[in-house]
Amino acid sequence: MKEFMMIFRSEPKAWENLSPEQMQNSTKKWQDWIGGIAAQEKFVSTNRLGFSGKTMKPNNVIIDGPYTELKEIVGGYMIVKAKNLDDAILMAKGCPTIDIGGHVEVRDVMEINL
Amino acid sequence: MEKGVLIPNLFKTEYRKIISVLCNLFGLAHIEIAEDITNDTFLLASETWGQKGVPENPKAWLYTVAKNKTKDYLKRHQNFTKKITPEIKATQSNFEELNVDLSEENITDSQLQMMFTICNDVIPSDAQIGLALRILCGFGIEEIAEAFFTNKQTINKRLFRAKEKLRSANIKIEFPNKKEIESRLNNVLTTIYLLFNEGYYSSSKNHTLKKELCIEAMRLIYLLIQNKTSNLPACNALLSLMCFQSSRFDSRMDENGKYLLYFNQNKQNWNKDLIVKGEYYLNKSAIGNEITKYHLEARIAFWHSRESDTIEKWENVLQLYNQLLQIQYSPIIALNRTYALSKANGKEIAIQEALKIDLKHNHFYHSLIAELYNGIDKDRHIEHLKKAIHLTQNKTSKEILTNKLKKSADSNGNRCIST
């Protein structure tokens, strides 16, 4: 088994208009989806990202927010175990970010032996 | 026949007090001497009491004998005495009037310190449980062997090796400081958790012994909770879990000693006091930010202590299992989560998820899938029941599954059973 990182991207606007019930429903969808992966013993770790952020550019230029130039932002990530990339991308099926027009990028995690 | 009950109980509770105080006094290097003196004390007690009857204050009698035997031993073994004198002198001002301190306070301190000494990762977990049963709970080798489904020889060897290992690793008998307590406590809680499970789930037929293991596990946790430094949320969560679980201990069996599944138990027989205690410690565990697996398991157990079978219950249980799996995977948690999923989100969704799980050699896996297909796809239901029957070694499970299979086949006249 190798490790892969799923990166969740979506438009921040998709989140802004959610009612509390929709928020709660969204949490359930995420937890059910992650729980399903964990039940296969393929879950490693995950984190949700908040909406505040700053970006450092060359020459020590600091700008507010990660999304001045991007329409979509990274909303979170999850590291999973899979045999290969083909299996890993199939695990992205059912990810709630896709329901709100976002997408999941799956990348292999490089093993570095120092 | 009061004596018949009094002595084994008294032996057990006093044995563990005396041995932990002596272990503490002599240090881990001389744990056998502590054991010998304690054993001699109880041997003399059973001989003397057998002839002359039980003394008026048996506890005081035992303490006096243990103290005298310790002094005699030190007098007789001058070499040993010289070797351990520096250790003892550090804590005792006057060695000539050596004080084997059997006050309640020192007994509790000694037990807590021994707990942290024994529950150490340098020895395997079954050895930790074994030593805990011997030294912290005062169990005889024979009882430990029965609890582990093995013989005395194996247990003796296991405990001997474990003591050697603790010695060679230079583990000190001490209560960890505030900084270390959380990480060290983790190990202690794991051992106590396993001790409880040994009692709760063991396939041993000895119902009394199994119950005692559970009670001992709860007593040890209670010791930790009584102590200010070790009274952490995780301890309260674990005790809460144990209270909820043991509330069903007696109702798990019918009048013929046969095991009853959760759904077939008479809920009137659940121990209400223990459920209330479970809720009390669950509330106590809800401070701070850390959520341990014991917190999640206790909350699941809380929902199972409710009689109702509502969507709300199963939705909560499902979310708790989702979280639990992210902290720690185990096949049984994965299967329980899938069952909760079927109750909260429906059988079709649960079947899809179950088929993604790779536990084809686990009989619980096939029992679960059979259950999910029940009422949806009869052929698959029967197919998985047969697989489960084929895979299980447990007689009771085999019986329950075979009965289910018969029922399913009966409802369809022309199907025959090949098992």
Side-chain angles (χ1 to χ4, degrees), chain A residues 5-70:
Chain A
M5 181 184 267
M6 294 182 172
I7 301 156
F8 311 123
R9 289 182 211 274
S10 61
E11 281 181 46
K13 284 207 181 83
W15 282 88
E16 281 168 12
N17 306 323
L18 292 184
S19 69
E21 289 89 59
Q22 283 171 315
M23 277 287 217
Q24 207 184 349
N25 196 22
S26 160
T27 306
K28 171 175 165 57
K29 275 190 193 163
W30 277 98
Q31 284 300 313
D32 285 355
W33 178 64
I34 295 170
I37 287 167
Q40 300 170 52
E41 211 183 348
K42 290 176 179 167
F43 172 85
V44 180
S45 64
T46 186
N47 261 314
R48 240 190 319 200
L49 302 181
F51 293 102
S52 62
K54 290 185 179 214
T55 306
M56 173 78 84
K57 297 261 184 177
N59 301 320
N60 295 334
V61 175
I62 296 172
I63 52 167
D64 279 343
Y67 33 80
T68 42
E69 289 156 31
L70 300 164

Side-chain angles (χ1 to χ4, degrees), chain B residues 159-198:
Chain B
L159 298 191
F160 180 77
R161 272 199 298 265
K163 284 181 274 189
E164 286 287 294
K165 187 80 206 166
L166 285 175
R167 262 196 287 266
S168 62
N170 242 331
I171 306 295
K172 285 210 179 76
I173 301 180
E174 61 188 3
F175 194 77
N177 61 37
K178 262 200 161 156
K179 265 191 206 157
E180 282 181 333
I181 189 119
E182 267 181 63
S183 64
R184 296 277 306 274
L185 194 64
N186 245 334
N187 240 321
V188 176
L189 293 185
T190 306
T191 306
I192 299 178
Y193 177 74
L194 291 174
L195 171 61
F196 183 87
N197 286 351
E198 198 63 46

